[in-house]
Amino acid sequence: MNFNPTMPFFRYSRTTPDNVALFVNEKEYSYFELGAYASSVSAWLRNVFQDPGNGFKVAILASRSLETYAGILGTCWAGATYIPISIKASAASLKSVLEQTSPTALIVDENGVKKLSEIEIPANCKVLYPDEFKALLPNDVRQGNYAREISEPQSLSADEIAYIIFTSGTTGVPKGVMIRTGSLYKFIGYMQTLYQIGSEDRISNFSEVSFDFSVLDLWLTWFSGASLHVVPSSQIMAPSRFIQQQKLTFWASVPSAITFLTRLGLLKEGCFPSLRVSYFCGEPLPFSSAKAWKKAAPNSVIDNHYGPTEATVACSMHRLSDNSFLANGRDIISIGKPYPEMRMAIVDDEKRFLSAPAKGELVIAGPQLTSGYLEDETLTSKRLKVLNHPLYGPMTWYLTGDLAFEDKNGEFHHLGRIDNQVKILGHRVELEELDAQLRRICGVDTVATVAWPIKEGLAEGIVAFVSQSKVCLNKIQSILRENLPPWVLPREILSLEEIPLTANGKIDRKALVKLLSERSPNSDKSEPSAP
Ligand code: AMP
């Protein structure tokens, strides 16, 4: 079998060429048109690199544009690995990602070109600029001449790397999660079975392509012959009009989207009648938000999926019902049961399996697991471990760092993080990474960060504390701005005489949160930034 993820797209470009494959920037592209763009990008890649074989890497520095989607498809079409990079990435992390991956090619759109001016393009990396991209499409295809055959995608085995997505790392260096084509096929295959997506389905793309949530949107659409509708960046904070105008049938986003709409008073009863599936993932889903969404989308199922990038987007699910069970009186929906071929379990500090309902670290196994972190054996062996399960025997398990327990019905409940990773509007942020940056800038060790404010169980931003630093607070903020994406930037940096410590000498983040809540319980001045 050919595991190239563009194979289904290729088939649709022949069987249903006129169906819409993509709606972006007010324009529709059919399966034939987008397929022609993708195979032209693929031909360019293979021509430039003299048929380099499978496994070469192509970085996509792009935003919500045709170049992004055709670039991803074209990269996979050529049998290469795609590496999506956010244009909101700081120059430092963009440089680090390019150094770590040494891509053979870089595809950029107009926004990407501006970003590229901030760094030096790596030697031996060929850039596909927007002008060249536009010139790739032969004239007869542009005019819809179907006599021209779109070339078949390169053959790929299940073990080849489909994409590498970078997430934040505790040391300040982004880490690349490698996902195999076989894992992508397993994940999308199960989603197709679950949702029975057909050509009439209209699927949202809310997340940026650098966030692994987009993997669901893009590939579920194109594996099923449906259409993908890219939410314009201007409507991310209030996508209600877009859902209505585009008559979306499938919505997928982080739960923060519900919070934005509720706050703006846009989540009206029955306002999304076209939706039949609402897929939430990436951060805790409060029960109140899920109920509010259900009222707005009465014809839709409300599913809470859970999973880290390391397990190909998501690996467990709970569907909202009248019997949805909330752990310990918390307002958070359960993360449900693992997908049929995936396994979840709870372990203690010594990585021994615990029986339900003991609390401990959530571990995951199964065919959707990453093959490891790019060029980082140490981290790979730290997070992916062979453990001997009493029922399944020895298997590789991914240690999530999430605190959870399993209830008597086999449903898992997420209770927070064991480490200091937080989610800001769906983005994974390691507080230690920010601490490390602050220590470097301030030249002192007495720094700390906390997630704040927390609304309905969701973190909306970060506040930083520094003590005994000679660098002024404005200067610290401006250096951070140069080095970090907007969602990691502290909303405030406060100067303290001393950073509170716990009895065993660790930073007492709870005491810092208490300090903030006592100071201004409802303080929330800044605007959240888009996922
Ligand atoms: P990412 O790799 O960006 O997808 O982040 C993965 C982390 O997001 C998980 O380890 C959890 O901490 C959190 N997460 C993802 N989905 C959920 C969910 N449905 N409920 C609670 N936390 C979630």
Side-chain angles (χ1 to χ4, degrees):
M1 175 175 162
N2 182 355
F3 278 89
N4 189 314
T6 59
M7 274 312 284
F9 191 111
F10 170 65
R11 283 188 219 110
Y12 292 119
S13 72
R14 292 185 157 190
T15 54
T16 52
D18 297 328
N19 281 9
V20 175
L22 175 69
F23 174 85
V24 65
N25 290 333
E26 307 282 313
K27 206 169 171 285
E28 286 181 348
Y29 299 88
S30 68
Y31 270 87
F32 175 77
E33 238 176 320
L34 190 56
Y37 269 112
S39 66
S40 304
V41 170
S42 163
W44 177 82
L45 286 168
R46 299 195 75 84
N47 198 17
V48 167
F49 303 109
Q50 309 285 309
D51 210 359
N54 295 329
F56 64 106
K57 302 189 202 89
V58 178
I60 321 268
L61 180 56
S63 46
R64 294 166 188 263
S65 63
L66 170 66
E67 287 89 332
T68 298
Y69 299 90
I72 291 175
L73 273 169
T75 300
C76 295
W77 210 284
T81 299
Y82 78 93
I83 305 163
I85 313 177
S86 170
I87 49 153
K88 292 183 195 151
S90 65
S93 65
L94 171 58
K95 215 168 137 251
S96 160
V97 170
L98 293 177
E99 268 166 21
Q100 286 187 62
T101 51
S102 315
T104 346
L106 185 57
I107 299 178
V108 290
D109 63 9
E110 297 294 350
N111 291 318
V113 172
K114 286 183 217 143
K115 190 79 208 167
L116 216 51
S117 62
E118 295 173 21
I119 59 147
E120 226 170 272
I121 300 164
N124 306 325
C125 177
K126 180 90 178 135
V127 182
L128 180 62
Y129 288 101
D131 289 351
E132 292 170 77
F133 170 84
K134 285 189 190 99
L136 283 180
L137 210 56
N139 263 339
D140 55 347
V141 178
R142 222 185 286 268
Q143 285 149 16
N145 182 350
Y146 291 17
R148 181 178 284 271
E149 289 270 296
I150 294 178
S151 61
E152 193 165 329
Q154 286 297 308
S155 188
L156 283 181
S157 73
D159 279 338
E160 245 120 10
I161 305 298
Y163 64 85
I164 304 175
I165 286 203
F166 278 79
T167 63
S168 63
T170 44
T171 55
V173 180
K175 52 192 184 190
V177 180
M178 300 187 284
I179 297 295
R180 290 174 281 221
T181 55
S183 305
L184 181 58
Y185 263 83
K186 283 283 178 205
F187 169 60
I188 298 294
Y190 180 52
M191 293 301 103
Q192 282 182 302
T193 310
L194 188 63
Y195 295 120
Q196 298 292 309
I197 302 293
S199 60
E200 66 294 343
D201 273 301
R202 303 165 67 83
I203 299 182
S204 65
N205 175 216
F206 176 81
S207 323
E208 281 184 31
V209 293
S210 53
F211 190 25
D212 87 323
F213 211 141
S214 66
V215 167
L216 167 81
D217 311 335
L218 273 60
W219 298 111
L220 180 59
T221 302
W222 297 330
F223 269 51
S224 315
S227 55
L228 182 72
H229 299 255
V230 182
V231 182
S233 21
S234 59
Q235 291 189 47
I236 288 292
M237 293 299 177
S240 47
R241 201 156 38 93
F242 188 81
I243 299 175
Q244 289 158 346
Q245 282 175 348
Q246 295 297 309
K247 296 193 172 50
L248 298 185
T249 61
F250 189 108
W251 174 257
S253 76
V254 287
S256 295
I258 310 180
T259 320
F260 306 154
L261 289 174
T262 309
R263 252 188 236 158
L264 294 169
L266 294 173
L267 210 56
K268 304 242 166 63
E269 201 162 332
C271 66
F272 303 140
S274 62
L275 287 182
R276 67 175 189 89
V277 178
S278 301
Y279 182 117
F280 294 102
C281 186
E283 53 187 4
L285 175 62
F287 192 40
S288 49
S289 298
K291 278 190 298 188
W293 191 271
K294 179 69 193 169
K295 271 195 181 161
N299 306 318
S300 174
V301 291
I302 316 287
D303 289 345
N304 180 29
H305 290 257
Y306 158 88
T309 307
E310 287 82 347
T312 318
V313 188
C315 55
S316 77
M317 183 202 104
H318 174 90
R319 178 160 294 173
L320 180 76
S321 76
D322 292 341
N323 303 323
S324 286
F325 173 72
L326 305 176
N328 304 342
R330 294 157 82 243
D331 181 45
I332 304 295
I333 303 257
S334 124
I335 55 172
K337 294 185 181 174
Y339 295 172
E341 290 192 54
M342 298 300 286
R343 302 279 173 262
M344 299 206 312
I346 303 292
V347 296
D348 66 9
D349 289 349
E350 308 295 321
K351 313 301 169 217
R352 284 173 304 215
F353 287 93
L354 300 175
S355 311
K359 276 188 219 166
E361 181 171 9
L362 179 58
V363 293
I364 304 171
Q368 286 178 216
L369 279 200
T370 173
S371 53
Y373 299 100
L374 181 74
E375 307 289 339
D376 198 338
E377 275 304 314
T378 317
L379 187 62
T380 302
S381 53
K382 206 168 139 198
R383 304 309 294 267
L384 287 166
K385 285 209 184 297
V386 176
L387 304 175
N388 196 1
H389 189 278
L391 219 64
Y392 314 127
M395 290 173 88
T396 301
W397 292 83
Y398 169 67
L399 313 181
T400 63
D402 285 319
L403 186 66
F405 75 92
E406 184 182 355
D407 68 24
K408 56 183 185 325
N409 302 318
E411 295 249 342
F412 286 80
H413 298 262
H414 187 261
L415 299 171
R417 292 287 303 176
I418 290 166
D419 54 21
N420 288 312
Q421 188 186 97
V422 294
K423 276 294 185 98
I424 308 292
L425 303 165
H427 292 284
R428 192 154 130 175
V429 176
E430 306 273 2
L431 291 179
E432 275 104 343
E433 171 183 356
L434 191 50
D435 292 351
Q437 299 264 9
L438 280 168
R439 276 196 296 273
R440 265 196 296 274
I441 298 168
C442 300
V444 292
D445 282 347
T446 42
V447 301
T449 46
V450 294
W452 182 262
I454 311 273
K455 298 257 172 78
E456 295 178 35
L458 302 180
E460 292 194 347
I462 293 172
V463 174
F465 296 86
V466 294
S467 171
Q468 296 155 31
S469 167
K470 294 208 170 64
V471 187
C472 81
L473 299 183
N474 284 345
K475 174 92 181 152
I476 300 173
Q477 190 67 282
S478 78
I479 302 176
L480 285 176
R481 205 169 293 128
E482 283 162 26
N483 289 289
L484 294 171
W487 55 87
V488 190
L489 285 180
R491 297 175 158 220
E492 261 186 292
I493 304 179
L494 300 172
S495 184
L496 283 187
E497 286 266 301
E498 262 178 64
I499 301 286
L501 299 179
T502 60
N504 47 17
K506 288 189 182 170
I507 293 171
D508 193 347
R509 293 188 207 258
K510 277 197 189 127
L512 291 168
V513 167
K514 188 159 172 270
L515 201 142
L516 287 169
S517 61
E518 285 169 357
R519 185 193 62 154
S520 52
N522 299 315
S523 118
D524 177 19
K525 290 175 231 125
S526 336
E527 270 295 303
S529 61

